[in-house]
Amino acid sequence: MVTEHTSSSPAQVLVASNRGPITYTLGEDGTLDARRGGGGLVSGLSAVDDKLWVCAALGDGDREAVRRGVGEPGVRMLDIDPEVHADAYNGIANSVLWFVHHLLYQTPVEPVFDAEFRRQWASYETYNRAFAEALAQEAAEGAAVLVQDYHLALAPGMLRALRPDLRIGHFSHTPWAPVDYFRLLPDDIAEQLLHGILGADRAAFLTRRWADAFIGCCTEILGGTGRTRIGVHGLGADADFLRRRSHEADVDERMAALREQVGEDRKTIVRVDRTELSKNIVRGLHAYRTLLETRPEWRERVVHIAFAYPSRQDLAVYRDYTAAVQSLATEINGAYGTESWTPVVLHVKDDFARSLAAYRLADVALVNPIRDGMNLVAKEVPVVSDHGCALVLSREAGAYEELGEDAIVVNPYDVTGTAEALHEALTMSGDERSGRTKRLAEAATALPPQQWFLDQLEALRQE
C-alpha cells in the first residue's frame, strides 16, 4: 500500500529514486528528526527549483513521517509495505540486478532462479508500479520525468502506459552487463527489464561502454532499442563544494590525527570505499601485502590508509566481506608491523570529514574495483589533493574512460600487477605527479553534478 502525500499542483520536472534527499529518524519520545543527504544526485537536482522528488520511505522514521503527513516541499515519500520493499530492494535490486551488472556471481553455484526468486520478483514489480502510479498522479501534462537506476528499471514502461504524454528518461548509475552475462537472467525477466527501460524516451548511462552493452542486450534479445534514444553523461566531481568542504576545521582536525597515526616522513596509499563486493578491497590489501613482501624497502616507509565503510550489512555476504577486510588488515599488521609502524590504518566507521582529510594527505590513491559504473572517489582525490597524488585505477571503473590517460591503470584481478603499480606510483617524481594530478582534476570536474542533471533534462526535452 502507498500512503498518499500529494503536492498542491502538478510538477513539470520529476525525479524518482529509491533513496530521497531526506531521511527521518524517530526518537524515543516520538519526535522526528530530519537529515538531508548528499551525493551527486542531490547536488545535481539543486540546479532545478521547481521539481518533485518521488522516493521510498526507507525506515521506521520515514514511514512515520509519511503517516503523520510530515514532509518538505518538493519531496513525496512513498510508504511501500516494508516486506515488499525488502524483497524488491534486497532480494532483487541488490542481490540479483547488482550482481548481474557487476559480474559478481560464482556461476558454478549461483544464481538459482527458483520459486522464491519469482515471489521476490513480484514484489519488485509492485514496488516499481507504486512509483509509476505516484509519478503519473503528480506529473503535469507533458512533464519531464527522470527515473534513476536499477531499482526502478520497470517504472518507465509502467509510467508510459499510464501517461503517454510525458517525457520519460531513465539513468543507470551502475555498469550494464554484457549480453552473455545478462542472459543469466531468465529469458522473460531479461525481456521485461529491457522493455521497462525502453518505455523511456531516453535511456542514459555513465559511459559509452555501459551504453553499448545495453544496446547489445536490446539488439540480441529484442531486436533493437525501438524508439528509445541512448545517451551518455559522465557524472563529475563537484569541485567547488569539495575544495571548500575539505578546508573546514573538522577536516583539519582529522588530518592532524591521521598524520599522527601515519608518522613523520612516511608516504600514504589511500582508499575510501564502502565494503561493497565490487570495490575489490580484499585484493587491494593483498596487493599492498605483496608490495611489502617483494619491495622490503617500503617497510616502515609507507602506510595504507584504508577506509572501508560497511555497506548492506543486512545481507550475509556483505557482512562476511566486511569481516574479511578487517581480518586481512589485522593479519598484515601482525606480520609486518613494528612498535613504531602500523602498515594498515583501517577505519570502518563512515566519516566524510576524515575521508576528505585522507584525500588531502594521499600520495597514492588506490581505486581498483572489479567493476564500477563511474567511481567518484577516483575523481574527488585529485580535486582536493594538497601536494599531488598518483592514481592507481582499475580499467573496469567507468572513470577509466576519462582518467585512464593520467592514471596508472591496473587489471583489478592481478594482485602482482597492482603491487607493481603501487610501487610505480610511490616512486613517481614530484613534477610528474603534480602534472598528472592537475590533468586528472580537470577531467574529473568536466561535468559537475548540476550540469550533469541539466544536460539530461535538456536532452530529454529535445527528444
Side-chain angles (χ1 to χ4, degrees), residues 336-347:
Y336 294 97
T338 66
E339 198 173 304
S340 60
W341 173 56
T342 303
V344 181
V345 172
L346 176 70
H347 287 285

Side-chain angles (χ1 to χ4, degrees), residues 317-350:
V317 67
Y318 284 85
R319 292 196 299 273
D320 292 346
Y321 192 74
T322 301
V325 168
Q326 292 174 302
S327 175
L328 184 52
T330 301
E331 200 177 294
I332 293 169
N333 285 337
Y336 294 97
T338 66
E339 198 173 304
S340 60
W341 173 56
T342 303
V344 181
V345 172
L346 176 70
H347 287 285
V348 295
K349 188 167 185 280
D350 197 349

Side-chain angles (χ1 to χ4, degrees), residues 38-46 173 235-236 376 448-450 452-453:
L41 193 57
V42 172
S43 181
L45 262 64
S46 67
H173 294 261
L235 176 62
L376 283 178
Q450 292 193 1
W452 168 82
F453 183 77

Side-chain angles (χ1 to χ4, degrees), residues 8-57:
S8 56
S9 59
Q12 293 292 340
V13 177
L14 300 93
V15 174
S17 64
N18 176 68
R19 182 179 297 278
I22 193 161
T23 303
Y24 294 94
T25 304
L26 185 61
E28 289 184 14
D29 60 353
T31 57
L32 285 168
D33 180 46
R35 188 177 71 178
R36 292 199 65 82
L41 193 57
V42 172
S43 181
L45 262 64
S46 67
V48 180
D49 291 327
D50 182 20
K51 62 180 178 292
L52 179 69
W53 194 325
V54 178
C55 57

Side-chain angles (χ1 to χ4, degrees), residues 125-167:
E125 292 173 318
T126 300
Y127 169 81
N128 274 257
R129 194 172 296 111
F131 273 85
E133 289 171 354
L135 291 164
Q137 182 185 55
E138 299 283 6
E141 183 74 19
V145 181
L146 290 111
V147 180
Q148 305 296 313
D149 231 356
Y150 60 105
H151 315 95
L152 295 171
L154 304 181
M158 293 174 170
L159 181 58
R160 173 69 61 209
L162 294 170
R163 290 287 304 272
D165 61 294
L166 299 177
R167 309 299 288 170

Side-chain angles (χ1 to χ4, degrees), residues 35-294:
R35 188 177 71 178
R36 292 199 65 82
L41 193 57
V42 172
S43 181
L45 262 64
S46 67
V48 180
D49 291 327
D50 182 20
K51 62 180 178 292
L52 179 69
W53 194 325
V54 178
C55 57
L58 298 183
D60 293 339
D62 288 356
R63 283 187 278 273
E64 184 61 26
V66 177
R67 289 164 192 157
R68 292 185 193 177
V70 172
E72 64 175 63
V75 178
R76 178 174 170 185
M77 205 172 263
L78 307 181
D79 184 12
I80 298 167
D81 180 274
E83 291 186 6
V84 169
H85 184 270
D87 283 343
Y89 181 72
N90 283 329
I92 298 298
N94 288 342
S95 295
V96 176
L97 302 183
W98 182 273
F99 273 58
V100 167
H101 290 315
H102 291 83
L103 317 185
L104 292 177
Y105 280 122
Q106 299 180 65
T107 52
V109 294
E110 57 182 5
V112 178
F113 295 123
D114 53 9
E116 175 63 8
F117 164 78
R118 293 287 174 172
R119 186 192 67 76
Q120 292 182 325
W121 183 258
S123 292
Y124 183 76
E125 292 173 318
T126 300
Y127 169 81
N128 274 257
R129 194 172 296 111
F131 273 85
E133 289 171 354
L135 291 164
Q137 182 185 55
E138 299 283 6
E141 183 74 19
V145 181
L146 290 111
V147 180
Q148 305 296 313
D149 231 356
Y150 60 105
H151 315 95
L152 295 171
L154 304 181
M158 293 174 170
L159 181 58
R160 173 69 61 209
L162 294 170
R163 290 287 304 272
D165 61 294
L166 299 177
R167 309 299 288 170
I168 304 171
H170 185 275
F171 194 90
S172 292
H173 294 261
T174 64
W176 192 271
V179 64
D180 287 349
Y181 207 89
F182 188 72
R183 298 200 85 160
L184 288 176
L185 292 165
D187 291 354
D188 61 316
I189 301 297
E191 290 181 18
Q192 194 178 348
L193 282 165
L194 296 176
H195 279 305
I197 291 178
L198 293 178
D201 296 285
R202 196 165 185 276
F205 300 84
L206 286 164
T207 72
R208 173 49 55 189
R209 181 183 179 187
W210 312 142
D212 287 346
F214 176 76
I215 293 168
C217 288
C218 291
T219 302
E220 180 78 17
I221 295 169
L222 303 179
T225 56
R227 57 183 289 280
T228 302
R229 298 289 170 261
I230 309 300
V232 175
H233 302 274
L235 176 62
D238 187 342
D240 291 341
F241 165 75
L242 288 167
R243 286 177 178 139
R244 182 179 68 252
R245 181 69 183 86
S246 64
H247 285 85
E248 291 180 5
D250 58 343
V251 177
D252 289 336
E253 288 170 15
R254 284 158 177 79
M255 278 188 72
L258 281 173
R259 275 203 188 97
E260 192 172 333
Q261 281 185 290
V262 169
E264 289 297 317
D265 301 324
R266 288 189 177 125
K267 299 221 174 199
T268 57
I269 298 169
V270 167
R271 80 171 307 135
V272 178
D273 281 307
R274 291 174 294 110
T275 52
E276 159 58 55
L277 306 181
S278 63
K279 298 299 185 182
N280 208 24
I281 301 168
V282 168
R283 284 195 192 88
L285 285 166
H286 278 302
Y288 178 63
R289 181 175 194 152
T290 300
L291 173 75
L292 298 180
E293 180 61 34
T294 59

